[in-house]
Amino acid sequence: MQLSRDDLKRAFRTMFTIRAFDERVEKEFAAGNIPGFCHVYLGQEAAAVGVCFDLSDRDWIGSTHRGHGHCIAKGCEVRGMMLEIMGRADGLCGGKGGSMHIADMSKGMLGANAIVGGSPPIAVGAALSQKVLKTANVAVAFSGDGGSNQGTTFEALNMAVVLNAPAIFIFENNGYGEFTSADYAVGSPSIA
């Protein structure tokens, strides 16, 4: 299905916002203006935008430690995110979550997660709530090639199938889990 001109502009604008946001985060971090640590989403903008494009605020997503792009694609307020990353009380989570723990329940953003492979079990729980409440909504778990090898990820995949939960699992493969190549750590040619 071809996207309309307006949809293409919306997708591009969101991808551009993610890129500009994370480039600014890198500059602020390098200048010492951000407490803690930050993992940016540069180069993966299209994945988050494509997955979140048709989701509503009633659909849930669980993110990774590189969650800025997921947050923006899901509709989280950019200023509130930056304030959160800078540890400010007027940030989305009161300045207590920082870069790797941004959440906004009003947008269906269950939170970024510093635990590798942490979002699949959380998303399955959210998907089960959708099933029990008989909504037409889904829950999405973002993970990477590093998280694809976690036991909790395998268990979440299995539980979603066994319980017929409306869960979607997205594996963003950038080729490395931290510093370990997927060629070495993944037992098949593809994590898909």
Side-chain angles (χ1 to χ4, degrees), residues 25-72:
V25 166
E26 282 188 319
K27 286 179 185 171
E28 296 298 332
F29 182 75
N33 296 327
I34 295 176
F37 201 76
C38 294
H39 297 280
V40 294
Y41 195 69
L42 296 173
Q44 297 175 262
E45 299 88 353
V49 172
V51 170
C52 295
F53 194 80
D54 286 323
L55 297 179
S56 77
D57 291 347
R58 294 177 309 277
D59 294 303
W60 297 100
I61 69 166
S63 185
T64 69
H65 62 290
R66 297 184 192 283
H68 306 160
H70 303 139
C71 290
I72 293 170

